[in-house]
Amino acid sequence: MNDNARWVLPFGTAREDGFEVSVTDAVPGWAHTSLRVATLAPFAQVVLDTGDSEMIVVPLQGGADVTVVDHAGQHHKARLAGRDSVFAGPTDVAYVPRGAGLTISNGDRESKIALCGAKAAESLPFRYVAAAEVPVELRGAGTASREVRNFGVPQVLEADSIIACEVITPAGNWSSYPPHKHDEEREGVETELEEIYYFEVRAEPGAPEGADPVGYQRVYGTAERPIDVLAEVRTGDVVLVPHGWHGPAMAPPGYDLYYLNVMAGPGATRAWLICDDPAHGWVRQTWAGQAIDPRLPMGGTR
């Protein structure tokens, strides 16, 4: 028996307080990260306190106005222009510290907003990151080509613990590959990070009516810490990775795959240090002789 029932949250199964996706430490075995997704009707708003978590406001579709009252009582505002969809290119984002009051207000069109969160020990300044400031990395080659939008990594965003990014995998390609893990603290080699995968999928242009966009995600463990997940994913689905090797994330022919990653852990160092599964790490060496998929980047420049 696999562990899908515990670590896979199909869309509609993790609703809470107006959020159609809500992953917090209320999930058994989950401790450091959170993700909330809300679809806002025109002129609607979301209000919440960040509590002991720092957050990054990420428009998935449309934009929003962000108003923050931080722990010191200072007011901050940012208008997030957003984008038409997650496949349209990078978006601007807003970083919100722990201990803040947060209001997200919608304009005259429907929007979908993600709140990526992580437990934080320190309250850092509010920050707006423009879409033009988000580095777009083309990772891998050939059928392992994918696009990574690094809006919330340590080199781009000052934060206490959260690490977040978006990955676009064109139809027919594999990403999160070779399978890798980050579930141990080994100085300079690996950091302990739990990870959230939030998925969206779309059919390639020209697909017939009735096409059913789908992707797949694999997570597996070690003998000492077993886990076994093989999930079929659609828009709005979430896969949680508490530990273990994860990958590939697979985009079948005909369907482009997007995922939003949120990571944090108990260690003192905010860093994404990974190790490959030794059985598959050799695949990286084959990329030197292959071209990057010409469909990348999608909707944005490097």
Side-chain angles (χ1 to χ4, degrees):
M1 179 180 293
N2 68 23
D3 297 306
N4 284 22
R6 182 174 184 185
W7 301 117
V8 180
L9 306 175
F11 181 71
T13 64
R15 297 178 178 269
E16 183 183 20
D17 297 334
F19 293 100
E20 54 205 20
V21 175
S22 179
V23 178
T24 69
D25 59 5
V27 175
W30 209 246
H32 305 287
T33 56
S34 63
L35 177 69
R36 297 171 173 89
V37 178
T39 298
L40 301 180
F43 306 109
Q45 66 177 208
V46 168
V47 179
L48 83 161
D49 293 324
T50 60
D52 60 359
S53 293
E54 58 189 355
M55 294 185 178
I56 306 175
V57 183
V58 182
L60 301 175
Q61 180 179 351
D65 291 322
V66 176
T67 303
V68 172
V69 181
D70 66 22
H71 66 286
Q74 297 294 313
H75 288 67
H76 309 273
K77 289 188 176 181
R79 171 160 290 182
L80 301 182
R83 53 195 167 179
D84 290 336
S85 80
V86 296
F87 297 100
T91 182
D92 48 355
V93 304
Y95 170 83
V96 183
R98 61 167 285 162
L102 169 62
T103 302
I104 302 170
S105 303
N106 198 16
D108 60 0
R109 62 172 181 160
E110 183 176 275
S111 62
K112 182 161 57 172
I113 308 296
L115 302 179
C116 308
K119 297 294 179 64
E122 184 179 358
S123 294
L124 298 173
F126 173 87
R127 184 179 168 193
Y128 169 79
V129 180
E133 297 180 87
V134 176
V136 176
E137 173 191 359
L138 301 187
R139 190 177 294 171
T143 56
S145 300
R146 60 272 203 185
E147 171 186 344
V148 185
R149 301 167 183 163
N150 288 310
F151 65 83
V153 300
Q155 299 83 354
V156 175
L157 179 71
E158 182 184 8
D160 182 82
S161 62
I162 194 169
I163 300 173
C165 65
E166 301 177 309
V167 180
I168 300 289
T169 309
N173 286 8
W174 291 30
S175 62
S176 280
Y177 195 77
H180 58 278
K181 73 179 184 73
H182 39 70
D183 59 10
E184 298 179 76
E185 286 292 330
R186 296 188 291 156
E187 187 174 356
V189 177
E190 186 178 356
T191 44
E192 182 180 353
L193 303 167
E194 65 181 22
E195 184 166 11
I196 299 172
Y197 277 72
Y198 165 85
F199 293 93
E200 297 202 6
V201 290
R202 73 168 183 183
E204 286 189 303
E209 184 177 352
D212 182 18
V214 65
Y216 296 88
Q217 173 71 37
R218 176 71 170 132
V219 185
Y220 58 99
T222 62
E224 297 77 18
R225 302 181 73 189
I227 184 173
D228 181 11
V229 170
L230 179 56
E232 184 176 274
V233 295
R234 291 176 169 79
T235 293
D237 292 352
V238 170
V239 174
L240 302 179
V241 184
H243 57 85
W245 311 105
H246 43 289
M250 296 163 271
Y255 304 120
D256 296 323
L257 179 69
Y258 161 94
Y259 52 87
L260 172 63
N261 284 147
V262 187
M263 293 171 276
T269 302
R270 178 178 174 240
W272 184 66
L273 299 180
I274 67 170
C275 64
D276 290 337
D277 183 336
H280 304 297
W282 65 270
V283 173
R284 290 188 189 273
Q285 309 309 314
T286 68
W287 297 343
Q290 301 179 54
I292 294 174
D293 193 312
R295 293 173 291 180
L296 296 175
M298 287 189 182
T301 57
R302 297 182 67 174

